[in-house]
Amino acid sequence: QVQLVESGGGLVQAGGSLRLSCAASGRLFSIGAMGWYRQAPGKQRDVVATISPAGRINSADSVKGRFTISRDNGKNTVYLEMNNLKAEDTAVYYCNAYLNLMNVWGKGTLVTVSS
């Protein structure tokens, strides 16, 4: 059984920073693209940023210049550095990755930004 486990969410004031981590575990043969998605209350789940195994990045326009995605292939981990957080960034953040060619989701971590 393979899985993704997120950490690093919490409560932060507007303008502050948080760093999310997501580690893949289990019997892993391959790890493809990894990414972060978020879902605010009453809204659909949207992509925040994705990163390929080679490091190619795609980010949502709403987070460009504020959020940075990175990955450590040796640790099977993807990170999301979030700076200058805004109230509208409040959401449950989900990690996603292709593990052994299967699309896998983490359980999510809540980020709350107070204004």
Side-chain angles (χ1 to χ4, degrees):
Q1 186 79 11
V2 296
Q3 63 177 351
L4 296 169
V5 179
E6 303 105 332
S7 61
L11 174 64
V12 64
Q13 288 187 332
S17 299
L18 280 176
R19 188 192 197 206
L20 305 182
S21 300
C22 171
S25 63
R27 194 173 182 183
L28 296 168
F29 299 107
S30 69
I31 301 179
M34 306 183 82
W36 291 94
Y37 293 71
R38 67 185 180 185
Q39 187 167 19
K43 296 189 176 181
Q44 67 180 20
R45 189 176 300 186
D46 291 324
V47 62
V48 176
T50 61
I51 183 168
S52 74
R56 182 185 300 176
I57 292 172
N58 286 294
S59 301
D61 288 342
S62 60
V63 305
K64 285 181 179 177
R66 300 188 299 123
F67 292 10
T68 302
I69 189 171
S70 61
R71 64 189 285 168
D72 184 332
N73 292 330
K75 295 181 178 180
N76 299 332
T77 300
V78 62
Y79 305 96
L80 186 68
E81 185 75 35
M82 304 185 292
N83 298 312
N84 191 21
L85 282 158
K86 304 176 181 180
E88 52 263 42
D89 295 318
T90 294
V92 177
Y93 283 71
Y94 296 91
C95 179
N96 175 268
Y98 281 88
L99 306 180
N100 301 344
L101 302 182
M102 297 182 296
N103 189 245
V104 178
W105 289 92
K107 293 183 178 181
T109 184
L110 177 63
V111 172
T112 303
V113 184
S114 63
S115 56

